[in-house]
Amino acid sequence: MPSGDYDPEAVEPKWQRRWVETDTYAYDEDAATDPNTTFSIDTPPPTVSGSLHWGHVYGSILQDTVARFNRMNGKEVFFPFGYDDNGIASERLTEDELDVRHQDYERREFQQLCREVCAEYEAEFTEKMQELGISIDWDQTYRTIEPRVQRVSQLSFIDLYEQGREYREKAPAIWCPECETAISQVETEDDERDSHFHDVEFVTVDGTDEDGEPFTISTTRPELLPACVAVFVHPDDDDNQHLVGEEARIPLFGQEVPIIADERVDMETGSGIVMCCTFGDQTDIEWYQAHDLDLRIAIDESGHMTGVAEGYEGLDSDEAREAIVADLEADGALLDRRAITHTVNVHERCGTPVEFLVTEQWYVKILDRTDEYLQAGREMEWFPDKMFTRYEHWIEGLQWDWLISRQRSSGIPFPVWYCGDCGEVVVAEKADLPVDPLSDDPPVETCPECGGDEFDPEDDVLDTWATSSLTPLINAGWDWVPEAASDAADGGEGNSEGFEMARPELYPMDVRPQGHDIISFWLFHTVIKCYEHTGEVPFESTMINGMVLDENREKMSKSKGNVVAPDEVLAKYPVDAARYWATGSAVGDDLPYQEKGLRAGEKLMQKLWNASKLVDSLTPESDPDLAPGDLRELDRWLLAELDDLVDTVTGQFEAREFSKARDDLRSFFWHTFCDDYLEVAKTRVRDAHDDDPAAQYTLRVAHRRFLKLFAPFLAHETEELWQELYAEADVAEGGSVHRTDWPEPLEIEADHAAGRTATAVIGALRRYKSERGLPLNAELGRVEVWGEGDVAAFADDVRGVMNVADLDVLAAEPEIETVVTGIDLDYAQVGPQFGSKVGDIDAAIAEGEYEVADDELHVAGETLGSELFEVERDRQYAGEGDLLEAEDAVVIVHGAAEN
């Protein structure tokens, strides 16, 4: 029997240890015979870039809620955990932690440093996730840098290469000068920055040493003047059309460039005449390609000026900008400089403005199949539906193929060598993977193209998203199996490409849970990879959660100082209170961190504990041997209402409407069960000298079902109570509440309307006594009741629990008049519309000098529409006795109450 107060500090760690030690949540491959018996969750592997934050807490609890619900619904749940530790984020973490630069180490040496640093953070992550009670199968943990995953990632590269879906090209690429690597479009974001618009005077070239006609270029990046290769004018710009066909001389640097007409010029910005530099932005790249312009690269991979910038060589771009502006001013070419705020494209990892450099990179073709990727998205169920729009908009806005190569040390190597003589690409054999070309030999001794015997290893690594996009295949055990390939070649039943899944029942995964901020990163790239490898969508549904905000609904960030550390919260509140809070908003909506949500969770936990102790004190150790026909009306009504709740909550879980499920369950438990039924049952059992089998049976059945319904939310407390009261086996033998069956409707028939009337009457009489300072056991003389249903069948329970001497159930509703008692004005609208007349309107209302007709208020010579006021009404009873408010029921108390 539960005793004393609930002690989460003792209970929660106990069960966290026991669940892990006994493999309570282990995935049983033998029981997972086909996709219909499994439920697979494609959990997001967190980037190893620091400590656990509230976003991890929030998202992980939502995933866990899904896992626990489906496990109790008879599914063999595959709920793994991964660490994304092979990319820029982990590399930068290592550099920051050890105060080193990856360029100063041989790749394997630096990667070993990364493993050591990441291992410390991963151990902390694991500990914190277990402290949250997340029902992960820790035997299914993977890391995106481990050999098995490296093999899958390199297989993916080779398969796409053999399909002709990948290519290597020297072309303009988005480049981060801080990280010194190419990045993909998805890794950039817009940021508002303070800057300046510079009006710079250019001149046309007239064929002599003399300057020709001056004109103005407006630019935010004068440091790109040495990279200018053309000037553009819009074809509809009549004022400047005469410049087209001329050449312009660039101030300070002197190169002469063509002036060309092009419709991509924004005539509304600056002077309407634009310089094209190689490269300042995406439009520059389009012009460069469309007009076959020269290539002049003024900024290098580290963000410093090149030799093209002449006397400014070696300066970083910011320093060069100020120096060039000063020299333009001294030369008389700077006409104006004005402060502005404008949008800058930055690397989302470090916030550094990106550059566009011509480099040799690997790409995955995606622009030719955007329609197919859109259709693949439509084949998945989206929770919530609105998140598909973000996916759709991202695809429609794509301008680049997917750049997958990175110039970093921490990552999965490309399994590629190049012939030293002709540059032919040589790809590793699938059976040899994983490989590292920097230390492993190529699979051939001579080049199959030219016969050369010298090979250069590829020293780039794969983008981390090129690997994390394979998580469904990693989890399903996708691999190339030589036997399958040779079988097919010999006319057998093997896969023609030799690819198989060790756990095919997991694919497609049932749900992809993730934040809305990485739809374009993780979700989209996963669709690409899995669709290209299997021809199928990678998951049946998505569950997109929002972000955790601070109490002012602002995004948490270290720079703002508004980040909430999980350790601080969990030192103050139980884990189950945090779980309760996390399920408090609709999936997809941002959720503000508010302690009142945690306090509400604590109150519910205390209510559940106290109610459980009371139920245990009122009932025997086992259910009385009763049939539904042996129960009283109120018992059948409670269980029938609970049936309806089970149906409702089950549907809400299936629709990922956790906040609705949580709130409906809490309301029913707190009010219908505890406030209404439990009080009745307590009176019945004790009046019958602790022996009312019908009430005891109902209490045990209902309470047991409540523990199961609350289990996905209050994981620790429900386990503690289940073990104390109902467990028939040890947790290690499957006796956990989280391994029990989800409640099914009992299908007990009851008069729902009459039961609701009876509980409304009990509630009204309880308030009546409370408002008069009377104890609940104070006797009431005569009470008249009217309401829907056969209320008479519930009369004994109402009479007994509220100590009513004479309870009369009326056959007809008494005459009760609803009268208008006042008018409530919406002053926010009335004030602006009626100004000085508001005082007269108020005075007339106070005197009762008004009329409401046809949804309009006529008062003080004015007419107010229905949107400007609300009518306050009261029910009045002209007969004897006190009329009580009782929802749709009528309750009339006659005579004075007695102690």
Side-chain angles (χ1 to χ4, degrees):
M1 173 178 176
S3 60
D5 293 331
Y6 178 60
D7 183 6
E9 292 185 9
V11 170
E12 290 178 345
K14 176 180 70 175
W15 289 116
Q16 290 156 10
R17 288 192 301 270
R18 287 282 286 153
W19 291 331
V20 173
E21 290 168 356
T22 60
D23 292 327
T24 299
Y25 307 118
Y27 173 68
D28 185 350
E29 293 191 39
D30 294 333
T33 54
D34 62 61
N36 294 322
T37 64
T38 64
F39 188 88
S40 50
I41 304 174
D42 188 19
T43 48
T47 301
V48 184
S49 58
S51 299
L52 190 73
H53 57 70
W54 256 125
H56 292 124
V57 173
Y58 174 47
S60 297
I61 290 172
L62 293 184
Q63 297 162 33
D64 188 50
T65 304
V66 174
R68 291 183 182 279
F69 169 72
N70 280 280
R71 195 177 287 114
M72 294 177 72
N73 268 277
K75 294 297 182 76
E76 195 58 44
V77 174
F78 181 80
F79 190 14
F81 196 73
Y83 291 107
D84 195 11
D85 52 6
N86 77 353
I88 291 176
S90 299
E91 188 166 302
R92 288 180 64 85
L93 174 67
T94 302
E95 290 175 320
D96 292 342
E97 284 280 301
L98 304 180
D99 193 22
V100 298
R101 297 175 73 249
H102 74 96
Q103 295 95 330
D104 298 335
Y105 292 83
E106 185 272 333
R107 182 156 79 186
R108 282 184 181 271
E109 184 181 8
F110 182 76
Q111 285 187 347
Q112 182 57 36
L113 294 178
C114 289
R115 304 295 179 276
E116 293 169 2
V117 170
C118 288
E120 295 177 13
Y121 282 91
E122 289 167 8
E124 178 189 333
F125 263 52
T126 298
E127 180 182 348
K128 298 304 179 189
M129 295 295 283
Q130 291 175 356
E131 287 177 359
L132 290 169
I134 308 300
S135 61
I136 287 165
D137 178 359
W138 293 100
D139 289 337
Q140 307 298 335
T141 302
Y142 64 91
R143 290 163 179 81
T144 57
I145 200 64
E146 68 184 50
R148 176 178 70 94
V149 177
Q150 286 199 37
R151 175 175 171 79
V152 173
S153 189
Q154 290 182 340
L155 279 172
S156 169
F157 172 83
I158 293 174
D159 186 37
L160 292 181
Y161 181 75
E162 291 177 345
Q163 290 184 47
R165 300 301 301 162
E166 288 169 330
Y167 61 95
R168 188 173 185 244
E169 182 176 86
K170 190 170 186 177
I174 306 172
W175 186 273
C176 175
E178 171 66 23
C179 298
E180 295 189 38
T181 181
I183 60 175
S184 64
Q185 181 183 353
V186 73
E187 293 172 274
T188 66
E189 60 186 13
D190 292 338
D191 190 25
E192 289 293 320
R193 299 282 175 97
D194 292 332
S195 185
H196 291 85
F197 237 147
H198 307 81
D199 290 345
V200 181
E201 184 177 83
F202 283 48
V203 294
T204 60
V205 178
D206 63 3
T208 70
D209 291 336
E210 298 296 322
D211 289 340
E213 180 182 349
F215 61 92
T216 301
I217 293 284
S218 298
T219 179
T220 59
R221 301 199 65 187
E223 71 274 17
L224 289 179
L225 282 171
C228 182
V229 293
V231 170
F232 284 94
V233 174
H234 197 283
D236 297 336
D237 186 351
D238 295 334
D239 293 340
N240 296 307
Q241 203 61 217
H242 66 285
L243 297 173
V244 175
E246 302 289 329
E247 288 201 340
R249 181 179 294 118
I250 308 305
L252 295 186
F253 299 94
Q255 72 265 33
E256 297 176 0
V257 302
I259 303 175
I260 305 170
D262 193 287
E263 293 182 348
R264 282 165 281 209
V265 174
D266 182 0
M267 295 172 59
E268 304 303 319
T269 300
S271 65
I273 308 175
V274 184
M275 68 174 182
C276 171
C277 304
T278 50
F279 298 98
D281 60 19
Q282 170 68 23
T283 308
D284 284 345
I285 295 169
E286 294 173 12
W287 280 329
Y288 164 78
Q289 295 170 334
H291 297 281
D292 194 24
L293 300 173
D294 292 337
L295 180 64
R296 292 175 64 90
I297 299 298
I299 299 176
D300 68 13
E301 290 88 346
S302 64
H304 291 79
M305 306 305 291
T306 68
V308 169
E310 300 175 358
Y312 308 95
E313 182 179 4
L315 297 178
D316 70 40
S317 58
D318 289 340
E319 293 171 336
R321 179 183 307 134
E322 295 308 312
I324 288 172
V325 168
D327 290 345
L328 286 170
E329 187 170 22
D331 205 38
L334 183 65
L335 305 179
D336 189 23
R337 187 177 195 237
R338 54 196 181 276
I340 63 167
T341 299
H342 74 140
T343 301
V344 178
N345 216 213
V346 302
H347 186 192
E348 56 88 26
R349 287 284 185 201
C350 62
T352 303
V354 301
E355 300 291 350
F356 295 85
L357 302 183
V358 173
T359 56
E360 200 152 33
Q361 305 288 346
W362 280 97
Y363 296 84
V364 176
K365 294 179 183 179
I366 60 174
L367 296 180
D368 61 337
R369 290 191 178 174
T370 53
D371 288 345
E372 293 179 55
Y373 302 145
L374 264 176
Q375 181 56 36
R378 293 188 183 100
E379 292 175 15
M380 300 180 293
E381 190 172 10
W382 291 73
F383 297 103
D385 289 338
K386 64 183 179 182
M387 288 300 170
F388 174 73
T389 303
R390 295 197 183 196
Y391 176 86
E392 183 178 36
H393 287 172
W394 171 253
I395 293 178
E396 291 173 346
L398 284 170
Q399 298 172 310
W400 303 69
D401 281 336
W402 180 10
L403 191 158
I404 59 169
S405 48
R406 296 293 181 270
Q407 292 66 53
R408 303 293 286 182
S409 295
S410 180
I412 297 176
F414 279 83
V416 169
W417 297 259
Y418 305 101
C419 174
D421 293 331
C422 70
E424 176 72 6
V425 175
V426 175
V427 178
E429 294 290 343
K430 297 186 184 75
D432 295 338
L433 302 178
V435 299
D436 185 347
L438 293 185
S439 54
D440 295 329
D441 293 329
V444 295
E445 293 185 0
T446 59
C447 173
E449 185 68 22
C450 72
D453 58 2
E454 296 292 330
F455 295 92
D456 299 320
E458 172 63 84
D459 59 1
D460 284 356
V461 295
L462 286 155
D463 168 25
T464 186
W465 296 105
T467 299
S468 57
S469 58
L470 295 164
T471 52
L473 300 180
I474 292 168
N475 286 315
W478 182 75
D479 201 353
W480 181 79
V481 182
E483 293 79 6
S486 60
D487 243 10
D490 295 339
E493 297 182 357
N495 184 300
S496 59
E497 293 87 18
F499 289 101
E500 291 185 351
M501 294 191 192
R503 296 186 285 203
E505 76 279 1
L506 297 179
Y507 191 88
M509 306 289 277
D510 286 276
V511 63
R512 155 62 68 84
Q514 65 168 70
H516 60 58
D517 57 326
I518 54 172
I519 288 175
S520 53
F521 286 81
W522 191 35
L523 194 152
F524 175 57
H525 288 150
T526 305
V527 170
I528 293 172
K529 281 290 195 86
C530 295
Y531 180 79
E532 296 294 350
H533 290 310
T534 70
E536 295 181 85
V537 296
F539 20 81
E540 303 288 349
S541 68
T542 70
M543 184 179 76
I544 311 296
N545 61 269
M547 299 293 102
V548 179
L549 308 178
D550 68 11
E551 291 193 347
N552 298 317
R553 303 193 70 86
E554 293 185 9
K555 184 178 180 180
M556 290 186 183
S557 71
K558 292 180 180 178
S559 61
K560 291 181 180 177
N562 62 347
V563 172
V564 176
D567 283 350
E568 295 176 9
V569 178
L570 298 180
K572 188 176 179 181
Y573 294 99
V575 173
D576 280 352
R579 296 175 63 89
Y580 178 89
W581 162 83
T583 53
S585 73
V587 171
D589 290 350
D590 293 338
L591 178 63
Y593 171 78
Q594 295 178 323
E595 291 204 6
K596 67 179 183 181
L598 291 147
R599 289 193 294 270
E602 272 193 307
K603 290 180 180 177
L604 176 61
M605 293 167 62
Q606 194 61 49
K607 187 75 171 179
L608 177 60
W609 186 258
N610 291 338
S612 299
K613 289 200 298 183
L614 180 56
V615 168
D616 189 50
S617 70
L618 296 172
T619 59
E621 291 187 3
S622 59
D623 296 347
D625 186 16
L626 295 178
D630 299 325
L631 304 180
R632 284 164 57 163
E633 285 293 333
L634 191 65
D635 305 325
R636 286 198 296 274
W637 172 81
L638 185 279
L639 295 177
E641 289 282 295
L642 190 48
D643 269 1
D644 288 350
L645 178 71
V646 168
D647 279 339
T648 298
V649 169
T650 301
Q652 289 164 337
F653 266 105
E654 290 170 345
R656 313 288 191 259
E657 295 174 335
F658 308 122
S659 61
K660 291 182 179 179
R662 184 199 76 168
D663 293 345
D664 286 349
L665 176 57
R666 176 194 179 280
S667 178
F668 186 93
F669 171 75
W670 196 298
H671 301 297
T672 304
F673 181 70
C674 293
D675 290 351
D676 296 332
Y677 182 80
L678 189 51
E679 289 299 319
V680 173
K682 177 176 67 175
T683 302
R684 281 169 46 185
V685 170
R686 290 177 177 171
D687 285 353
H689 304 292
D690 295 332
D691 187 19
D692 186 323
Q696 291 171 328
Y697 172 89
T698 306
L699 284 172
R700 282 184 61 86
V701 169
H703 182 254
R704 191 163 52 237
R705 292 161 78 77
F706 278 124
L707 292 184
K708 292 183 177 184
L709 293 170
F710 274 122
F713 300 112
L714 309 178
H716 303 82
E717 184 178 14
T718 53
E719 185 74 281
E720 178 75 4
L721 289 168
W722 187 264
Q723 298 304 315
E724 288 279 352
L725 301 175
Y726 303 117
E728 297 178 357
D730 185 78
V731 168
E733 299 169 356
S736 168
V737 67
H738 304 294
R739 281 293 187 177
T740 60
D741 293 333
W742 187 255
E744 292 282 346
L746 299 172
E747 299 183 357
I748 292 177
E749 295 184 0
D751 188 335
H752 288 270
R756 284 191 286 270
T757 296
T759 55
V761 170
I762 292 171
L765 294 175
R766 185 182 290 115
R767 287 192 300 275
Y768 174 81
K769 291 183 177 181
S770 176
E771 289 166 359
R772 287 159 177 76
L774 300 171
L776 288 179
N777 63 355
E779 184 179 81
L780 299 177
R782 184 165 68 92
V783 176
E784 292 180 313
V785 174
W786 178 87
E788 294 185 33
D790 183 12
V791 183
F794 295 80
D796 286 345
D797 284 317
V798 176
R799 186 183 299 111
V801 73
M802 294 313 301
N803 197 11
V804 177
D806 187 7
L807 183 72
D808 293 338
V809 178
L810 303 177
E813 183 177 9
E815 290 187 11
I816 297 173
E817 182 182 6
T818 301
V819 297
V820 175
T821 58
I823 300 293
D824 184 15
L825 297 177
D826 183 353
Y827 288 101
Q829 297 188 72
V830 172
Q833 289 190 37
F834 293 94
S836 60
K837 297 179 182 178
V838 173
D840 295 337
I841 293 173
D842 276 338
I845 290 174
E847 294 295 327
E849 298 173 354
Y850 59 84
E851 180 182 2
V852 178
D854 299 326
D855 290 331
E856 292 181 333
L857 174 64
H858 303 279
V859 57
E862 305 293 341
T863 300
L864 281 66
S866 59
E867 74 280 3
L868 301 179
F869 69 96
E870 288 186 3
V871 179
E872 297 174 350
R873 291 181 169 88
D874 194 12
R875 297 198 306 169
Q876 294 185 357
Y877 173 58
E880 295 181 356
D882 297 325
L883 176 69
L884 308 186
E885 288 292 333
E887 300 176 12
D888 294 332
V890 175
V891 180
I892 302 169
V893 179
H894 294 271
E898 299 177 4
N899 284 309

